[in-house]
Amino acid sequence: MHDICHLDSDWFVNALATFLIIGLVVSYCPQHLRIIQMGSSEGFSPWFLLLGSTSSAAGMLNMIALSWPTIQCCNDVSVGKCLEITAGVTQVVLQWVLFTAILVLYMIYYPARLKYVDIDIPAHGTLPPQHVKTKLLSDDWRLSVNVSWAVTTHLVLITIVTFFLLLTRIQEPDGEVPRQISLWATCLGVSSALLAAIQYAPQLSRTYHSKLVGALSIPMMIIQSPGAFVMSISIALRPGTNWTSWAMYAVSGIMQSALLVMCIAWKFRQRRLKIDDFGYSLDSSSSTPLTDDIDTVVGEVSDPQVGDMSFDSDAEDAREDVPLLAKPRHSARSSRLFGWLRL
């Protein structure tokens, strides 16, 4: 442990770590601020948030497990040296905090009008159908709450297992990482990389079929795409880590780069068709998208209390194959900060 705790300072690695920490905050803050300023998280896919949160949590605990001897050095060195040798851990913890904050904001600012099922009841004669609000929870809101509990349960379980192994570890004579911790860290790292790959697959498919950029931030992706590869290199240079620690960030960088290229292509297409990021004409005040890729959707109420009745689901906002966020519309903030914990 003496060698790990008293490694010579590497100005390049330290500068790289500092740059990445600042870059993480700069790249995520616009998304956090946008949700807060709009007062709505409408359009986010719960599956995207589920996979991203669990992936970042697994990657964080993988890094903590493999860097535990380095973390323990903070008991014997100065604060400055502690911050220097644990910069890699700080990066992955910050990554998890910033992404999970999106999920938290998503639940807090979930539009109240989308939490319950609305039903159109046919009227007699030529009268328009009557729009009725019910007390039935919408399928998307139920899914969102279940996703939140799944993320919390996953985090609690893998945290308990990780720290149980770390606190009961028996130091190997040769100083190597104990086999059980190595196997658990590998499991966390591989699952993190797989979840990161799956995380972007639905978004790539949705953006491809919608042929619109929507609310996806091209500047954010320009920062994060190369940043993921730089972060992979930074983590790989840290003592005690292996390929499972940086694989998630490499996979994320590849997938996000593909999404960035696709969005740039759609940006040129939108300019040629003279439409905005949501498919609306730039030459008129029409509120109807001009592309054929966005249609009005009619859903069905699956709750047995109502039966097979049709209801309007706010057109493209309820579709899973539209851009990440629908055309911006302000909505009231949820009255209770933790009201989403109850179904």
Side-chain angles (χ1 to χ4, degrees):
M1 182 177 292
H2 182 274
D3 293 336
I4 297 177
C5 297
H6 298 87
L7 291 173
D8 294 334
S9 298
D10 188 326
W11 69 268
F12 174 76
V13 174
N14 293 336
L16 185 61
T18 302
F19 171 77
L20 286 173
I21 291 172
I22 296 173
L24 279 173
V25 176
V26 170
S27 65
Y28 273 102
C29 277
Q31 183 63 79
H32 298 161
L33 293 175
R34 178 169 186 173
I35 296 175
I36 295 172
Q37 290 173 352
M38 291 178 62
S40 172
S41 59
E42 185 177 354
F44 275 96
S45 169
W47 293 112
F48 172 80
L49 298 174
L50 169 66
L51 296 170
S53 298
T54 51
S55 174
S56 59
M60 172 185 65
L61 288 169
N62 165 277
M63 186 70 172
I64 291 175
L66 293 176
S67 303
W68 189 247
T70 303
I71 295 174
Q72 290 182 309
C73 290
C74 289
N75 296 324
D76 304 319
V77 299
S78 64
V79 174
K81 188 65 175 180
C82 175
L83 294 175
E84 177 185 341
I85 63 179
T86 60
V89 177
T90 303
Q91 292 171 36
V92 295
V93 172
L94 186 61
Q95 166 78 21
W96 169 75
V97 169
L98 292 172
F99 190 92
T100 306
I102 298 178
L103 174 60
V104 173
L105 291 173
Y106 168 80
M107 298 304 297
I108 293 174
Y109 289 94
Y110 192 95
R113 63 185 177 81
L114 298 180
K115 291 183 179 181
Y116 300 96
V117 173
D118 293 346
I119 302 175
D120 284 338
I121 300 178
H124 296 288
T126 58
L127 295 176
Q130 185 178 4
H131 197 66
V132 178
K133 290 185 176 294
T134 72
K135 294 296 184 180
L136 302 175
L137 297 177
S138 65
D139 290 339
D140 193 61
W141 177 238
R142 287 180 182 272
L143 174 61
S144 299
V145 174
N146 291 334
V147 161
S148 299
W149 282 115
V151 169
T152 303
T153 303
H154 172 265
L155 176 63
V156 171
L157 290 177
I158 62 175
T159 300
I160 290 174
V161 173
T162 300
F163 281 94
F164 173 79
L165 292 174
L166 291 175
L167 297 176
T168 59
R169 63 183 287 169
I170 299 176
Q171 188 67 33
E172 297 289 337
D174 55 0
E176 295 293 328
V177 177
R179 186 172 184 274
Q180 63 271 26
I181 294 179
S182 178
L183 290 175
W184 174 244
T186 299
C187 178
L188 290 173
V190 171
S191 65
S192 178
L194 291 176
L195 289 170
I198 299 172
Q199 170 194 355
Y200 280 96
Q203 187 62 56
L204 285 166
S205 175
R206 183 168 58 182
T207 304
Y208 174 78
H209 287 96
S210 68
K211 294 181 174 59
L212 294 170
V213 174
L216 290 172
S217 173
I218 291 180
M220 182 188 73
M221 287 186 284
I222 290 176
I223 296 173
Q224 289 191 350
S225 296
F229 296 107
V230 176
M231 190 164 184
S232 299
I233 296 173
S234 176
I235 293 174
L237 295 175
R238 291 289 164 181
T241 60
N242 57 33
W243 68 272
T244 64
S245 301
W246 54 261
M248 181 198 79
Y249 303 99
V251 172
S252 296
I254 294 172
M255 300 294 282
Q256 196 170 51
S257 296
L259 184 61
L260 172 61
V261 171
M262 188 182 298
C263 286
I264 292 175
W266 292 159
K267 200 72 174 178
F268 282 109
R269 176 180 180 272
Q270 291 168 194
R271 182 177 300 178
R272 176 171 54 84
L273 297 177
K274 296 182 179 180
I275 58 177
D276 66 10
D277 291 340
F278 302 92
Y280 293 83
S281 174
L282 297 174
D283 299 329
S284 68
S285 59
S286 172
S287 61
T288 304
L290 298 184
T291 64
D292 295 330
D293 303 294
I294 301 178
D295 307 308
T296 299
V297 181
V298 176
E300 291 186 355
V301 179
S302 58
D303 195 290
Q305 303 177 29
V306 181
D308 295 329
M309 302 179 68
S310 298
F311 67 95
D312 180 74
S313 58
D314 289 321
E316 73 272 13
D317 294 347
R319 285 195 51 164
E320 189 67 21
D321 58 350
V322 298
L324 192 57
L325 287 174
K327 193 176 179 66
R329 283 185 289 178
H330 295 275
S331 64
R333 179 176 176 174
S334 175
S335 59
R336 294 178 65 90
L337 187 62
F338 297 105
W340 56 269
L341 289 172
R342 303 188 310 274
L343 273 177

